Amino acid sequence: MERIASFTVDHNKLVPGLYYSRRDGDIVTFDLRFKKPNTGDLLTNAQMHSAEHLIATLLRNSQDKEAVIYFGPMGCQTGFYFLFDNRLLSCEGAIALLQQVFTAAGDYTGEMPGKSPAECGNYINLDLETGKAVCKWYAELIADWTVEKLAY
């Protein structure tokens, strides 16, 4: 059986950042790495879940919402994947969009998006302040990111 693309990346060398993971036709996948893999320092479920609700909501309400395919957590608890349609959004534009939405999430005011039993299957696990803190940290990390920095 062939190894999937993400298993071909040497996780021993990865550090937090924003990376170009792969392209499948018109769909580009970015690797949003929050934690260095295999160190025992992982995102908690509440951190991942809360950041996911904030960022997915902001992406799907952005000026580039038609290009957004998916935003969600990695099972290894070290980050997220962002998939977008490269016909509608360039890599430069995707970086700018991520910088914008993570900054907005870090400063978010109001109710946690999707925090009700009707909207989420684990709504009690959501915490606005936890999500904001994780997003603010990542916004600062990628504030000066460029296309040249996307390489693993």
Side-chain angles (χ1 to χ4, degrees):
M1 196 177 315
E2 289 185 39
R3 288 186 349 185
I4 63 172
S6 63
F7 294 164
T8 65
V9 175
D10 186 349
H11 286 66
N12 293 312
K13 297 179 182 177
L14 285 177
V15 295
L18 175 60
Y19 304 101
Y20 184 102
S21 177
R22 60 183 293 150
R23 183 181 181 125
D24 298 286
D26 295 320
I27 308 303
V28 171
T29 301
F30 276 6
D31 173 335
L32 287 69
R33 194 64 58 160
F34 283 59
K35 301 287 185 174
K36 182 169 177 46
N38 303 310
T39 62
D41 179 24
L42 304 173
L43 291 167
T44 67
N45 189 273
Q47 288 173 318
M48 287 190 318
H49 194 195
S50 300
E52 176 198 11
H53 272 240
L54 287 168
I55 298 303
T57 298
L58 291 168
L59 284 170
R60 290 188 173 98
N61 282 279
S62 73
Q63 72 279 3
D64 295 306
K65 64 185 176 185
E66 297 302 319
V68 174
I69 304 297
Y70 174 76
F71 177 82
M74 296 175 180
C76 62
Q77 297 174 251
T78 62
F80 297 86
Y81 288 116
F82 173 49
L83 284 70
F84 61 94
D85 187 330
N86 196 228
R87 295 171 301 173
L88 302 175
L89 186 64
S90 67
C91 288
E92 294 89 347
I95 293 169
L97 176 59
L98 290 170
Q99 290 165 331
Q100 176 188 37
V101 297
F102 273 95
T103 298
D107 296 331
Y108 187 83
T109 57
E111 298 294 317
M112 169 62 84
K115 189 176 180 174
S116 78
E119 298 169 298
C120 179
N122 192 11
Y123 76 98
I124 60 171
N125 180 253
L126 294 168
D127 181 74
L128 182 60
E129 293 308 314
T130 296
K132 287 174 59 172
V134 170
C135 292
K136 184 177 184 68
W137 176 86
Y138 195 70
E140 291 169 1
L141 178 71
I142 66 166
D144 66 347
W145 220 262
T146 63
V147 171
E148 292 75 29
K149 292 182 175 183
L150 286 174
Y152 280 118

